[in-house]
């Protein structure tokens, strides 16, 4: 009985398959192209493994040493200089906060320069955007290396590194926010007799202010993370302590510092999430 | 009749004015409090980070002098020769750049695969087992909150100086951040295919493979590509702690005051990062447009 109900169905399916083969399988070319891409990626992956000399032997030895390191790390200890580390952590947070503040007040006017609807000159706009693109290609650690060489070791170099790397990102975000503002409030203020500057103050700034505040907060969060490692190249803060403890093989203290960093980042994240909800909610 | 309306009208206007004044005062007070807090935080952080305007006034010109001293001397008459002088070590640098890109590729790929394996058990809607859910969540959190440079420093000790440590650091960090993004995508999947496969008798891995993966794959690919871009940037500096790639050479040239080398290498890094950004963006756009075509047709 079942076969008599099944048979016409398979016949129907076969007919459909014959009439619309594309519904049942991807076209031949597409199938082989995706297989080719997968094969190519796998080949590069294997070549990469060979290049970095990722032999099972090295993994095995490394894993053994990693286990040894973890044994050295436990239990984490402050080494009796918890106060020093706390101060270094404070320095890191201060670097991140002040760097974000500086970059925000510099990027705000620059954002207007980069916005197409404020500076209609296409060449100026294009050139400005490309300069920002170039600056964004430079990692924050490279900025830190440059400023440590230029102004000496210490948190000041870290502040400058954070500010310079953020300006390139924030200016782009602000320029895009300004380009996306609603035209109607601008027309409204202009109809009421406002000049260009007044229109910006009364119609543009209120629209972009939530974007500016929430991106400043977001960058502060990510700068706290970045600032924790800037010390590795000599730009002050907790990263300096961390790299020093690792250099002299004080692994228990290194783990202690890493835990301090994680706790600080978690606290900052939760505070900033609360503030951001408030900003977005109050919009 | 009309005086009645007038009385009500003025009363309403007065009430409005009063409430407006109250609102206004509240807003003013709020602004003042937050403003004072902000100013205090700014002053405090400026003091703590050793910032002073005098230092800024001398520091910025210093920084500019330093940056401009890295610029090469290029003369129009001897341009070819000068360029050759500037990029005297180009073959070695290109090799290191290739190594950087390869590190980022392998790290992204390994991290994506690990994230792919972990993301389903880290999604609330797909994982009923609390222990497994909790473990995979915590593991992903740990993997992404420690900066990749810190992982690199630890792995350099364990696996020795070289790109292997860098790749592992990138892979671990990528696992953490992609795993979180992937599980967030998983949490918004359509449940009907899952019910369908479940009704047809599929077990958990089969459900993930046949009902969830096809829905989320395009988004996963897009995030993995974004991560690849990000990792190229990171890989370019991992060499500073000895984890391979072009960063090592950059760090060396800064340490040895080989000024023109610094600008040459930084320029190469910028070009590679920008090329990766542009090509990944193009691929992502293509993928997205193809996907939207598939769903609309």
């Amino acid at each position: 009985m079942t076969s008599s109900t099944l048979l016409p169905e398979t016949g129907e399916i076969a007919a459909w398959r014959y009439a619309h083969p594309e519904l049942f399988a991807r076209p031949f070319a597409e199938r082989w192209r995706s297989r080719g891409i997968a094969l190519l990626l796998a080949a590069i992956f294997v070549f990469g493994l060979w290049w970095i000399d990722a032999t099972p032997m090295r993994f095995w030895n490394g894993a053994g040493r990693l286990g040894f390191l973890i044994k050295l790390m436990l239990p984490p200890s402050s080494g009796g200089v918890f106060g020093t580390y706390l101060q270094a952590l404070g320095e890191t947070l201060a670097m991140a906060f002040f760097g974000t503040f500086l970059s925000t007040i510099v990027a705000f006017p620059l954002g207007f320069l980069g916005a197409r609807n404020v500076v209609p000159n296409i060449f100026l706009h294009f050139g400005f955007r490309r300069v920002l693109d170039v600056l964004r290609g430079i990692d924050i650690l490279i900025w830190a290396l440059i400023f440590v060489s230029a102004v000496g070791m210490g948190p000041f170099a870290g502040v400058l590194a954070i500010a310079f790397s953020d300006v390139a990102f924030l200016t782009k975000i602000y320029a895009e926010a300004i380009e996306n503002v609603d035209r109607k409030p601008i027309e409204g203020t202009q109809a009421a007799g406002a000049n260009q500057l007044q229109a910006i103050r009364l119609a543009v700034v209120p629209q972009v202010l939530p974007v500016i505040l929430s991106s400043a907060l977001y960058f502060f969060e990510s700068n706290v993370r970045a600032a924790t490692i800037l010390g590795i190249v000599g730009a002050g803060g907790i990263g300096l302590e961390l790299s020093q403890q690792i250099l002299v093989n004080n692994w228990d203290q290194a783990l202690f510092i890493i835990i301090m960093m994680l706790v600080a980042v978690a606290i900052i994240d939760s505070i900033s999430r609360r503030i951001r909800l408030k900003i977005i909610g109050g919009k | 009749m009309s005086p009645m309306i007038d009385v009500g009208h003025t009363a309403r206007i007065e009430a409005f004015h009063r409430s407006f004044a109250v609102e206004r005062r509240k807003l003013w007070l709020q602004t003042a409090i937050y403003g004072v807090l902000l100013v205090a935080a700014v002053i405090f952080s400026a003091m703590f980070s050793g910032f002073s305007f005098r230092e800024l006034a001398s520091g910025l010109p210093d920084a500019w002098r330093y940056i401009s001293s890295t610029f090469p001397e290029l003369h129009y008459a001897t341009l070819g020769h000068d360029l050759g002088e500037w990029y005297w070590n180009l073959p070695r640098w290109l090799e290191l750049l290739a190594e950087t890109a390869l590190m980022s590729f392998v790290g992204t790929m390994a991290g994506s695969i690990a994230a792919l394996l972990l993301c389903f058990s880290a999604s609330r809607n797909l994982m009923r087992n609390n222990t497994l859910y909790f473990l995979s969540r915590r593991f992903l959190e740990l993997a992404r909150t420690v900066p990749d440079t810190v992982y690199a420093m630890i792995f350099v000790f364990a696996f020795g100086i070289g790109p292997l440590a860098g790749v592992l650091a990138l892979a671990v960090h990528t696992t953490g951040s992609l795993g979180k993004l992937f599980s967030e995508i998983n949490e918004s999947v359509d449940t009907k295919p899952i019910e369908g496969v479940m009704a047809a008798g599929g077990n958990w891995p089969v459900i993930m493979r046949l009902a969830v993966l096809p829905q989320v794959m395009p988004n996963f690919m897009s995030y993995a590509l974004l991560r690849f871009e990000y990792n190229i940037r990171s890989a370019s500096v991992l060499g500073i702690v000895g984890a391979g790639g072009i960063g090592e050479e950059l760090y060396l040239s800064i340490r040895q005051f080989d000024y023109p080398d610094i600008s040459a290498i930084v320029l190469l890094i910028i070009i590679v990062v920008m090329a990766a950004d542009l090509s990944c963006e193009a691929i992502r756009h293509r993928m997205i447009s193809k996907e939207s075509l598939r769903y609309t047709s």
Side-chain angles (χ1 to χ4, degrees):
Chain A
M1 276 300 111
T2 42
S3 63
S4 68
T5 52
L6 259 175
L7 266 177
E9 240 177 54
T10 40
E12 206 180 338
I13 289 173
W16 275 103
R17 190 191 290 277
Y18 180 74
H20 301 280
E22 75 277 5
L23 291 178
F24 288 86
R26 285 185 294 160
F28 183 77
E30 194 187 320
R31 208 162 57 213
W32 275 98
R33 204 181 57 199
S34 61
R35 272 180 208 172
I37 291 174
L39 213 64
L40 183 73
L41 291 181
I44 301 175
F45 187 66
V46 171
F47 174 73
L49 287 181
W50 172 79
W51 179 278
I52 62 174
D53 198 17
T55 57
M57 200 60 210
R58 273 191 80 187
F59 270 117
W60 183 247
N61 289 340
R65 250 174 312 193
L66 205 60
F68 181 62
L69 280 187
I70 290 172
K71 224 183 283 169
L72 281 182
M73 280 178 178
L74 294 171
S77 116
S78 65
V81 284
F82 182 59
T84 313
Y85 292 158
L86 212 56
Q87 195 182 348
L89 189 64
E91 204 171 87
T92 297
L93 296 184
M95 263 161 62
F97 187 83
F98 200 65
T100 314
F101 175 75
L102 268 187
S103 61
T104 304
I105 55 175
V106 174
F108 183 62
L110 288 181
F112 281 95
L113 283 184
R116 205 176 322 158
N117 48 355
V118 179
V119 179
N121 186 325
I122 186 90
F123 293 107
L124 219 67
H125 169 81
F126 187 81
F128 190 62
R129 285 292 181 94
R130 289 296 88 74
V131 170
L132 290 179
D133 285 348
V134 167
L135 289 182
R136 265 191 318 231
I138 303 176
D139 192 90
I140 192 163
L141 266 180
I142 299 179
W143 283 118
L145 279 173
I146 291 174
F147 283 117
V148 164
S149 304
V151 302
M153 291 196 11
F156 182 56
V159 168
L160 289 180
I162 291 171
F164 267 76
S165 99
D166 278 7
V167 162
F169 286 92
L170 284 175
T171 305
K172 183 178 183 230
I173 293 172
Y174 293 170
E176 272 163 11
I178 293 165
E179 277 174 10
N180 288 332
V181 294
D182 189 2
R183 290 274 326 153
K184 292 194 194 87
I186 303 175
E187 284 162 16
T189 50
Q190 278 170 346
N195 61 25
Q196 180 90 19
L197 216 61
Q198 282 166 330
I200 287 179
R201 161 70 190 86
L202 293 172
V204 179
V205 171
Q207 288 190 58
V208 296
L209 207 57
V211 177
I212 286 170
L213 285 180
S214 74
S215 62
L217 269 175
Y218 176 77
F219 272 80
F220 174 57
E221 277 175 54
S222 87
N223 283 337
V224 170
R225 285 157 208 270
T228 56
I229 53 160
L230 287 185
I232 292 168
V233 297
I238 192 91
L240 191 64
E241 303 286 343
L242 178 65
S243 63
Q244 274 167 3
Q245 297 310 323
I246 288 182
L247 270 182
V248 295
N249 268 322
N250 273 340
W251 290 96
D252 50 346
Q253 294 189 36
L255 181 62
F256 187 83
I257 294 172
I258 292 174
I259 292 172
M260 279 177 75
M261 285 173 167
L262 297 188
V263 171
V265 166
I267 292 172
I268 296 281
D269 279 7
S270 80
I271 293 173
S272 121
R273 194 180 312 129
R274 215 164 289 168
I275 299 177
R276 187 171 317 117
L277 277 180
K278 208 168 176 183
I279 293 170
I280 295 169
K283 194 164 70 168
Chain B
M1 198 77 184
S2 64
M4 280 291 282
I5 291 174
D6 253 352
V7 168
H9 204 64
T10 41
R12 269 207 304 279
I13 288 179
E14 260 172 26
F16 172 76
H17 272 298
R18 263 199 306 278
S19 73
F20 181 74
V22 168
E23 286 292 317
R24 182 128 205 185
R25 210 168 319 133
K26 218 195 282 174
L27 191 69
W28 192 87
L29 200 69
Q30 239 175 19
T31 315
I33 290 173
Y34 286 124
V36 167
L37 276 179
L38 180 71
V39 169
V42 167
I43 292 174
F44 188 71
S45 64
M47 270 160 47
F48 221 68
S49 60
F51 181 85
S52 71
F53 281 103
R54 211 182 57 224
E55 212 172 330
L56 185 71
S58 71
L60 279 185
D62 278 351
W64 174 246
R65 247 196 308 282
Y66 179 81
I67 292 172
S68 61
S69 70
T70 68
F71 295 155
E73 278 192 37
L74 295 178
H75 300 290
Y76 186 69
T78 55
L79 193 61
H81 175 259
D82 287 350
L83 277 178
E85 194 102 297
W86 189 25
Y87 278 98
W88 62 278
N89 210 354
L90 190 62
R92 168 91 184 117
W93 292 338
L94 285 182
E95 193 191 318
L96 282 172
L97 275 175
E99 183 176 288
T100 307
L102 205 59
M103 276 167 64
S104 139
F105 177 81
V106 176
T108 312
M109 194 96 161
S112 308
I113 293 169
L116 188 66
L117 292 176
L118 283 169
C119 70
F120 298 112
S121 57
S123 310
R124 188 70 278 198
N125 56 339
L126 304 177
M127 195 65 209
R128 300 269 177 258
N129 186 329
N130 274 325
T131 323
L132 274 178
Y133 171 76
F134 182 82
L135 283 179
S136 36
R137 276 264 146 160
R138 291 294 92 76
F139 175 76
L140 292 178
E141 231 161 60
L142 185 70
R144 73 168 175 274
T145 33
V146 178
D148 44 11
T149 320
V150 173
Y151 279 125
M153 286 199 290
I154 295 171
F155 289 149
V156 162
F157 255 77
F159 294 90
I161 287 179
L164 178 60
V167 166
L168 284 175
L170 290 177
V172 171
H173 202 258
T174 303
T175 305
S177 51
L178 278 186
K180 178 182 183 244
L181 291 171
F182 285 4
S183 62
E184 271 168 10
I185 300 170
N186 282 338
E187 278 167 0
S188 62
V189 291
D190 186 3
T191 52
K192 289 194 200 82
I194 300 177
E195 285 161 18
V197 177
M198 215 187 280
N203 57 11
W204 195 79
V206 172
I207 294 173
M208 294 306 119
R209 164 69 189 87
L210 294 177
V212 181
L213 199 60
Q215 294 188 53
V216 294
M217 208 52 198
N219 284 326
F220 282 14
M221 300 278 269
S222 168
Y223 274 125
L225 268 171
L226 262 180
R227 192 67 206 179
F228 175 65
E229 284 176 41
Y230 179 92
N231 279 346
I232 283 210
R233 222 178 282 256
S234 302
S236 70
V237 292
L238 281 181
I240 293 172
V241 295
I246 189 85
E248 216 161 333
E249 198 75 9
L250 177 68
Y251 194 44
L252 213 67
S253 62
I254 288 178
R255 272 295 163 88
Q256 296 175 341
F257 305 104
D258 295 329
Y259 289 113
D261 285 16
I262 300 171
S263 65
I265 296 172
V266 169
L267 195 63
L268 284 175
I269 292 177
I270 290 172
I271 291 171
V272 169
V273 168
M274 279 178 78
D277 277 10
L278 289 177
S279 50
C280 284
E281 202 181 320
I283 297 174
R284 260 204 327 277
H285 277 227
R286 251 182 82 126
M287 262 174 13
I288 290 165
S289 63
K290 234 168 76 182
E291 273 318 303
S292 58
L293 271 181
R294 184 171 291 166
Y295 285 129
T296 49
S297 65

